Amino acid sequence: MQNKGAEGKLEKVVMPMVALRGLVIFPYMVLHFDVGREASVAAVEECVVQGRDIFLVTQKDMKIESPEITDVHEIGTIAKVKQVLKLPGDTLRVLVEGERRARILSYAEREPYIQAEVEPIPDEVTTDKAQEVLKEAYMRRITDLFERFASLGARVPGETLFTISEIEEPGKFADMIASNVAIKLDDKQRVLDCIDELDRLQLVVNILKKEIDILEIDKEIASSVKQQIDKSQREYFLREQMKVIQKELGETENDEDEVEELRKKIQELPLSDEARAKAEKELARMVKMAPGSPEISVLRSYIDWIVSLPWGKYTVDNLDLQNARKILDEDHYGLDKVKDRIIEFLAVRKLKNDMRGPILCLAGPPGVGKTSIAHSIARALDKKFVRMSLGGVRDEAEIRGHRRTYIGAIPGRIISSIKQADSMNPLFLLDEIDKMSSDFRGDPASAMLEVLDPEINNTFRDHYLDIDFDLSKVMFITTANDISTIPRPLYDRMEIIQIDSYTDVEKLNIAKRHLMPKQAKAHGLKPSAIKVSDAAIMDIIHLYTAESGVRSLERELAAIMRKAAVKTVETGAAKISVSQKNLKEFLGHPKRSENDMIKQDTVGVVTGLAWTAVGGQTMPVEASVIPGTGKVELTGQLGDVMKESAKTGISVVRAMMKKLKLPLDINEKTDLHIHVPEGAIPKDGPSAGVTMVTALVSALTKRPVRHDIAMTGEITLTGRVLKIGGIKEKALAALRAGIHTIILPKDNQGDLEELPQSVRDQLSFVFATKIDDVLKHAIVAEKK
Ligand code: ADP
């Protein structure tokens, strides 16, 4: 249809024209569009009927109905009409395929449709190698950009990427890209206008770059908008969920009511000025917060803590000495030292209205009633009682709380306990003050010091509350098992009241007067409905328990009560009697038997006596001698002091070879071995000196040691026996182990006065000044 001129230039042709609105058709592009204007419909019909090509050119302004030649772009596309579909309302849907660019020259005819005179534009034929390479480079660049463009979510049909990669002609390539990307109409027309292939490629690169930039910014905006929406939606959902949960739990309150209530409390309670200012400030912050903000609950719980402390609540102390004495005696047997001290305290308090004074520390083995006497002191004084155990506390924050900046912070246990006591002047029991330890998280002992020091505890500051709180009216009592491990500065502020282990007779009395009635009541039995004979109780003490206090004893009695309750219900018996004979029915087989004690005189085995945190204990020490080269071995549980004393003991023994009538070269030819069996409670101290020497001498001479003797005493290099401590505890431990003879340093003779008569009556003592005195009594004499 086009005629080639002599120089290969295409000749002008006249053909039907359709002016396009909002659309640019490129060569090689297959596309359908709808035509509705009369002239356009006529032009299309003419082409179909005559099999002619059509000239498609884009209108500059879409609004113009009948465009003049100046109203259309100069460059358009000659296309083939491939298919026509009639649509309702005189509209045609035309499928065309672009063929080549053409420039419009003039309108040859206007009626019934425009016939345009156009000059087709020939495809370029490149011969310049350098140009070719440049075009190739541009094409690659465009491919990259196009992929990027597609990956940014631009609407590009899947197969297009593939089709494009197949195209080799640079001009066609640029056209395909321009026709396939959703770019502005003007940009499309600019590409169409571009006749030079290289320029066209360059233009497409620029357009793609611009589009990519736009898409990227678009995406950024979209994602940040999305994030914001996501976040607020999430919070919204969570908040709604929280509301539902709170409603389910019955926790919803009207916020305003709540604020009003807090405000009222802050105004009415006798808060300190500082506390009131802080609470008001935080309440004001809380009111300003957006509803549902998580910060609100943090502020609310802080204000709640402040207003729930017992500001200004003091109980009136009952200072009636007689009444106090009565109550203390009612609850506890013995413990006279403690009771006397409390009465003194009350008397002073009555004369001088001042609580100041050292902090009482009740020290003694477990189960001797330290906690429970503190409880009855509170009862006697009509005070509120709170207890806090310091065992295992290593973190200062446990005592003094975490700062509020810490997520989930709460006040420390001192403030929590005060809240629980609901009184500014309760009796506050600090249990196991010797069991605190310190580590990298701070020193709890120094925090305790601030709690206990009467000079400064009127302004105790919890980290969480961060306001001064007055602890000076609180009556602190502490307990400890082992006073040697109480941090020194705390120890200096305390008055130690030692509570010793109980003797069997004391235990019997405690059981009869206190534990039995208490346990009977706890199990719903009348005290008269159960009788346990004294002998049975003694058996429980000896065969079912081995302790300094009465905890296990109380537990065994509770076991009896349970069985008795079953019997009463089952048989309807009015009274249950427990005797030595039927004890087993209630408690099963004894946990200890006589076998536990060393029953035979044995070579190298000696019963020592140790004093530990849980009271006195018997401590078997074993020694053996084996052929060797003079080495010494110490095994088992020996503390440093005990090791030193073992070495001293060995030197003493080595110096005694002649006296013991042993061969003089025995030192070089034997190894000595001392073993202290491990027990649950660590033991240390010098008081096992004589015990170890005795064991070694027995092992060397092969003469057995008396099993019915226990001993204690420090030894010097010259064999002297030195005074030691803890005589009462050790004596009771020996008795618990069924041993009735004790070898003691002579210098300890005076201490025997501490022993209750009942204990002294059951024991005989041997006093030693030199190791020879010990050996003479402990080692069985050679027979014959
Ligand atoms: P601790 O605090 O010294 O370890 P507890 O106070 O827990 O000992 O005492 C253990 C049990 O023994 C408690 O039930 C207590 O009432 C009872 N108890 C201890 N000593 C006596 C006593 N002298 N009189 C009456 N009951 C006692």
Side-chain angles (χ1 to χ4, degrees):
M1 274 142 273
Q2 305 102 13
N3 306 311
K4 277 196 174 166
E7 337 69 85
K9 204 175 165 201
L10 297 174
E11 277 179 9
K12 296 169 202 164
V13 277
V14 172
M15 61 176 72
M17 172 187 124
V18 167
L20 299 171
R21 295 197 279 198
L23 185 69
V24 175
I25 304 277
F26 284 90
Y28 314 109
M29 185 176 177
V30 178
L31 181 111
H32 58 69
F33 58 91
D34 298 344
V35 291
R37 280 183 285 187
E38 228 174 276
S40 306
V41 171
V44 170
E45 278 170 348
E46 163 70 13
C47 292
V48 173
V49 174
Q50 302 294 330
R52 293 175 70 183
D53 281 354
I54 194 164
F55 180 63
L56 301 169
V57 65
T58 307
Q59 259 178 242
K60 289 179 185 162
D61 184 349
M62 275 173 44
K63 284 185 290 269
I64 295 170
E65 263 307 300
S66 342
E68 294 300 322
I69 189 152
T70 48
D71 293 331
V72 298
H73 285 285
E74 193 187 346
I75 308 285
T77 304
I78 297 173
K80 236 186 194 46
V81 177
K82 307 211 71 150
Q83 219 175 50
V84 174
L85 206 72
K86 264 199 188 327
L87 295 181
D90 294 335
T91 311
L92 296 180
R93 177 156 295 172
V94 196
L95 183 72
V96 297
E97 182 177 5
E99 289 193 323
R100 63 174 62 234
R101 283 178 170 71
R103 175 175 286 120
I104 186 165
L105 302 173
S106 63
Y107 281 179
E109 261 177 66
R110 305 187 71 123
E111 293 296 333
Y113 49 84
I114 301 170
Q115 300 241 30
E117 185 188 17
V118 301
E119 176 188 55
I121 299 165
D123 283 339
E124 260 183 45
V125 185
T126 323
T127 44
D128 185 342
K129 269 269 172 258
Q131 282 256 331
E132 228 171 303
V133 173
L134 206 55
K135 286 179 188 169
E136 175 67 30
Y138 271 117
M139 284 165 74
R140 287 193 193 165
R141 177 97 177 97
I142 290 174
T143 312
D144 286 351
L145 287 171
F146 188 67
E147 276 170 10
R148 190 119 150 261
F149 183 74
S151 76
L152 281 169
R155 275 167 295 132
V156 177
E159 72 279 0
T160 315
L161 271 171
F162 177 73
T163 323
I164 286 167
S165 67
E166 297 283 277
I167 301 172
E168 282 173 9
E169 305 92 319
K172 181 175 175 187
F173 180 81
D175 286 345
M176 276 305 273
I177 298 281
S179 63
N180 272 296
V181 297
I183 54 176
K184 280 200 306 204
L185 202 65
D186 284 352
D187 283 337
K188 289 202 176 189
Q189 185 64 46
R190 274 167 64 207
V191 175
L192 193 69
D193 288 346
C194 222
I195 308 299
D196 183 75
E197 287 188 333
L198 197 60
D199 288 351
R200 201 185 304 161
L201 288 167
Q202 222 159 21
L203 182 62
V204 170
V205 168
N206 287 338
I207 292 175
L208 276 180
K209 270 204 211 147
K210 190 180 80 189
E211 288 300 317
I212 287 172
D213 280 352
I214 294 174
L215 280 180
E216 269 173 353
I217 294 173
D218 235 29
K219 202 166 171 176
E220 239 168 64
I221 296 173
S223 89
S224 79
V225 169
K226 186 167 182 305
Q227 262 175 14
Q228 269 175 8
I229 293 176
D230 282 357
K231 192 166 167 247
S232 60
Q233 253 180 0
R234 202 178 121 80
E235 280 179 7
Y236 172 79
F237 279 128
L238 287 175
R239 218 166 282 134
E240 288 302 305
Q241 277 173 342
M242 190 165 77
K243 274 192 210 154
V244 175
I245 293 172
Q246 280 176 339
K247 205 166 157 195
E248 287 289 309
L249 294 173
E251 281 175 2
T252 36
E253 269 173 39
N254 191 325
D255 282 355
E256 275 164 37
D257 284 0
E258 194 190 356
V259 168
E260 224 18 73
E261 204 179 301
L262 285 177
R263 198 189 308 276
K264 213 168 125 204
K265 276 189 189 163
I266 295 172
Q267 270 163 12
E268 287 174 2
L269 288 174
L271 306 184
S272 69
D273 292 346
E274 189 191 13
R276 177 166 296 118
K278 268 256 164 69
E280 276 170 356
K281 187 171 140 222
E282 301 298 349
L283 187 68
R285 269 182 69 196
M286 187 177 135
V287 172
K288 274 195 226 127
M289 299 251 150
S293 152
E295 183 76 345
I296 288 191
S297 71
V298 174
L299 290 175
R300 185 194 303 124
S301 76
Y302 177 75
I303 302 168
D304 267 345
W305 266 105
I306 292 190
V307 296
S308 59
L309 290 177
W311 300 98
K313 283 194 191 167
Y314 293 90
T315 55
V316 180
D317 288 350
N318 183 345
L319 298 177
D320 179 345
L321 300 192
Q322 264 178 345
N323 169 67
R325 173 67 82 180
K326 193 179 127 253
I327 288 180
L328 293 176
D329 283 341
E330 226 168 69
D331 292 349
H332 289 86
Y333 173 89
L335 299 176
D336 293 333
K337 266 196 283 178
V338 191
K339 292 176 184 170
D340 289 348
R341 183 64 188 82
I342 296 303
I343 299 298
E344 284 166 24
F345 171 86
L346 290 185
V348 173
R349 176 69 214 284
K350 207 165 180 175
L351 295 177
K352 174 172 167 268
N353 191 12
D354 186 2
M355 288 293 291
R356 294 218 184 164
I359 310 289
L360 296 184
C361 174
L362 307 175
V368 291
K370 301 183 293 298
T371 313
S372 73
I373 188 105
H375 216 299
S376 34
I377 295 171
R379 191 161 88 91
L381 294 174
D382 268 351
K383 273 181 177 302
K384 295 275 177 75
F385 177 82
V386 265
R387 168 172 176 264
M388 161 177 169
S389 174
L390 290 167
V393 168
R394 329 155 142 250
D395 191 347
E396 189 198 348
E398 274 193 60
I399 293 170
R400 232 210 291 226
H402 284 292
R403 290 189 196 286
R404 265 205 296 157
T405 43
Y406 201 91
I407 292 176
I410 48 164
R413 283 165 55 190
I414 296 287
I415 287 294
S416 309
S417 303
I418 291 288
K419 175 180 165 187
Q420 188 195 337
D422 198 27
S423 157
M424 296 284 277
N425 62 339
L427 191 159
F428 198 139
L429 183 70
L430 296 161
D431 234 348
E432 304 195 307
I433 196 148
D434 54 334
K435 303 268 175 11
M436 267 189 313
S437 50
S438 61
D439 65 9
F440 61 95
R441 282 168 292 197
D443 182 7
S446 62
M448 270 331 285
L449 210 57
E450 286 190 44
V451 172
L452 293 179
D453 193 328
E455 298 297 326
I456 51 175
N457 69 3
N458 57 339
T459 56
F460 173 73
R461 240 180 147 83
D462 182 273
H463 283 327
Y464 174 82
L465 291 184
D466 201 26
I467 47 176
D468 286 345
F469 192 82
D470 184 4
L471 295 177
S472 64
K473 301 292 184 293
V474 176
M475 178 179 183
F476 287 105
I477 294 187
T478 64
T479 79
N481 287 147
D482 182 358
I483 53 172
S484 71
T485 59
I486 300 177
R488 189 72 213 187
L490 284 177
Y491 181 88
D492 288 344
R493 281 168 178 74
M494 291 188 213
E495 176 181 331
I496 309 286
I497 302 178
Q498 188 73 45
I499 305 182
D500 297 324
S501 300
Y502 291 125
T503 64
D504 292 351
V505 179
E506 283 171 329
K507 287 182 186 175
L508 176 68
N509 278 306
I510 294 171
K512 278 167 56 173
R513 296 186 199 184
H514 298 277
L515 306 180
M516 291 269 296
K518 192 159 92 183
Q519 289 302 327
K521 197 170 158 215
H523 289 83
L525 294 166
K526 279 203 207 80
S528 58
I530 171 120
K531 165 110 183 81
V532 183
S533 73
D534 288 3
I537 294 177
M538 274 305 191
D539 270 4
I540 301 175
I541 294 169
H542 289 142
L543 303 177
Y544 291 83
T545 69
E547 59 177 347
S548 307
V550 292
R551 257 190 219 166
S552 307
L553 177 57
E554 186 168 25
R555 234 184 345 253
E556 297 299 333
L557 290 172
I560 290 183
M561 298 299 164
R562 284 199 299 275
K563 289 267 167 25
V566 174
K567 275 199 177 153
T568 313
V569 173
E570 277 177 0
T571 64
K575 184 164 182 161
I576 307 275
S577 295
V578 182
S579 65
Q580 243 179 331
K581 278 206 201 87
N582 66 359
L583 188 59
K584 268 192 210 158
E585 282 174 37
F586 289 85
L587 294 180
H589 280 286
K591 302 193 171 99
R592 300 205 310 155
S593 68
E594 304 295 329
N595 291 343
D596 286 354
M597 304 152 198
I598 306 166
K599 269 207 307 207
Q600 267 184 346
D601 298 345
T602 316
V603 171
V605 180
V606 187
T607 307
L609 292 170
W611 189 79
T612 73
V614 299
Q617 289 204 323
T618 51
M619 172 179 71
V621 170
E622 297 168 10
S624 68
V625 175
I626 43 173
T629 54
K631 283 202 297 283
V632 171
E633 200 172 347
L634 304 174
T635 57
Q637 197 180 47
L638 285 86
D640 289 340
V641 182
M642 210 190 270
K643 276 187 196 143
E644 283 305 309
S645 113
K647 284 180 196 150
T648 313
I650 286 165
S651 302
V652 171
V653 172
R654 293 220 196 271
M656 283 190 344
M657 294 304 177
K658 193 165 167 205
K659 201 153 57 175
L660 295 172
K661 301 199 188 78
L662 290 168
L664 283 181
D665 59 355
I666 194 162
N667 277 339
E668 290 84 52
K669 290 191 175 163
T670 52
D671 288 349
L672 303 180
H673 184 174
I674 296 179
H675 178 69
V676 180
E678 316 231 350
I681 313 298
K683 309 167 190 79
D684 197 10
S687 71
V690 294
T691 320
M692 292 189 279
V693 172
T694 308
L696 282 173
V697 170
S698 158
L700 281 162
T701 58
K702 311 268 184 294
R703 281 157 58 189
V705 182
R706 278 177 58 183
H707 71 277
D708 55 352
I709 275 187
M711 61 179 69
T712 178
E714 185 176 347
I715 189 121
T716 68
L717 275 177
T718 55
R720 278 199 308 129
V721 177
L722 300 185
K723 188 174 175 173
I724 43 78
I727 291 294
K728 181 177 172 189
E729 293 292 326
K730 287 174 176 177
L732 292 171
L735 269 187
R736 281 203 295 276
I739 294 173
H740 296 269
T741 306
I742 301 179
I743 303 179
L744 288 180
K746 175 107 167 96
D747 293 342
N748 280 107
Q749 198 166 4
D751 296 337
L752 295 185
E753 275 162 30
E754 291 175 20
L755 291 183
Q757 195 57 47
S758 68
V759 173
R760 248 189 293 176
D761 290 348
Q762 298 178 61
L763 285 169
S764 62
F765 299 95
V766 175
F767 300 107
T769 46
K770 294 194 304 311
I771 187 66
D772 298 347
D773 305 332
V774 177
L775 297 176
K776 198 163 74 203
H777 281 92
I779 304 230
V780 178
E782 258 174 312
K783 287 177 194 140
K784 284 160 255 160

